[in-house]
Amino acid sequence: GIVTKKAPTTRGSHVSLSISVVLFDVDGTIVDSAPAVMDAFRGALSHYGLPIPDEQRLRTYVGPPLWYSFGDLGYEGELLANLVTGYRSRYQDHYLDPEPFPGVIELLHELRDKGVALATATSKQAPMALAQMEHLGLSSVFDVIAGATPDPASSKATVIHEALTRLKARGVDTSHPVIVGDSVWDVRGAQEAGIPVIGVGWGYATEDGLDEADAVCETVEDLRTYLLDGVAKHARDRDS
């Protein structure tokens, strides 16, 4: 089903957005990276003899910036910086392990074949995002692969801005962008960047994490319908 803020009770009949370009979150949206991320967290914490949170809490750290996650566990200063570095060195060995969610790769290829401009906007480091998209055979599908920088100030919103700036430089129509994501971090980043966000039901969202999304698509098929409707609407609006 598809739920929108404007029509929360009518899952089927939704108010479609006008869409000129689609940004995709990666972890929890394209790939099921929770196991690799949680393992890297466990390794970084146990290296310093620190307590390891339970699985439920660790899962909430799949997607947010690392500085936030380790800070949320109560660490700061030099230890916080060391934990982030320790996480990155462990994750480096396993970031290509995660499998894509069923149907997502096919959807991305279909959108590309239909001429829809696409970009990633991920909180993982940009070189890893690039390597992962190559590994999944998706580097030709995306016009731009944008990811985080090592700077603690790098956020979902800064990555969205970078993706849109680079898309515009390539001549892409960025007048009606949307981001597709699975967590409250995608919702907050989109709000901060001033663009609509479509939540997906197969990722790692907490109970109410997608409450403020402009729409929520439970399945890949729902997302396909919603995006293609929005792209068609933009084409009609542009040509009228």
Side-chain angles (χ1 to χ4, degrees), residues 22 24 29-30 101-116 118 138 141-142 180 198 200 202 217 219-228:
V22 185
F24 274 85
T29 302
I30 297 176
F101 288 103
V104 175
I105 302 282
E106 293 77 6
L107 171 62
L108 289 165
H109 281 285
E110 182 183 352
L111 291 169
R112 158 57 71 211
D113 291 345
K114 289 193 156 80
V116 182
L118 303 170
L138 292 175
V141 168
F142 290 105
V180 176
I198 302 166
V200 298
W202 57 83
C217 297
T219 68
V220 175
E221 189 51 42
D222 291 335
L223 179 62
R224 176 184 180 273
T225 303
Y226 193 86
L227 291 176
L228 291 175

Side-chain angles (χ1 to χ4, degrees), residues 20-229:
S20 69
V21 59
V22 185
L23 277 51
F24 274 85
D25 168 56
V26 174
D27 294 322
T29 302
I30 297 176
V31 295
D32 185 6
S33 50
V37 168
M38 295 194 311
D39 277 354
F41 262 97
R42 290 188 191 104
L45 290 165
S46 60
H47 178 77
Y48 287 97
L50 299 167
I52 308 228
D54 62 39
E55 178 132 348
Q56 201 176 355
R57 181 149 185 203
L58 275 179
R59 191 167 274 272
T60 65
Y61 298 141
V62 183
L66 292 171
W67 297 93
Y68 163 83
S69 299
F70 284 113
D72 188 62
L73 287 169
Y75 304 115
E76 54 190 12
E78 195 178 347
L79 179 56
L80 172 58
N82 289 342
L83 286 167
V84 169
T85 304
Y87 171 96
R88 285 189 180 140
S89 65
R90 283 167 180 79
Y91 188 65
Q92 185 80 44
D93 298 332
H94 297 286
Y95 73 98
L96 295 180
D97 295 356
E99 294 292 328
F101 288 103
V104 175
I105 302 282
E106 293 77 6
L107 171 62
L108 289 165
H109 281 285
E110 182 183 352
L111 291 169
R112 158 57 71 211
D113 291 345
K114 289 193 156 80
V116 182
L118 303 170
T120 68
T122 172
S123 289
K124 72 169 64 190
Q125 300 291 292
M128 282 189 190
L130 190 57
Q132 188 170 37
M133 293 307 109
E134 279 171 4
H135 177 71
L136 294 170
L138 292 175
S139 40
S140 62
V141 168
F142 290 105
D143 296 84
V144 165
I145 295 171
T149 64
D151 179 358
S154 180
S155 69
K156 182 63 86 164
T158 61
V159 176
I160 289 171
H161 280 305
E162 186 207 326
L164 292 174
T165 303
R166 287 171 56 193
L167 284 161
K168 203 168 184 177
R170 292 180 61 115
V172 170
D173 176 356
T174 57
S175 62
H176 289 83
V178 298
I179 181 168
V180 176
D182 70 298
S183 78
V184 68
W185 294 94
D186 300 303
V187 175
R188 286 181 192 164
Q191 288 172 338
E192 207 180 310
I195 74 169
V197 56
I198 302 166
V200 298
W202 57 83
Y204 315 126
T206 48
E207 191 77 11
D208 52 0
L210 297 174
D211 281 2
E212 290 188 30
D214 295 86
V216 177
C217 297
E218 292 297 334
T219 68
V220 175
E221 189 51 42
D222 291 335
L223 179 62
R224 176 184 180 273
T225 303
Y226 193 86
L227 291 176
L228 291 175
D229 280 0

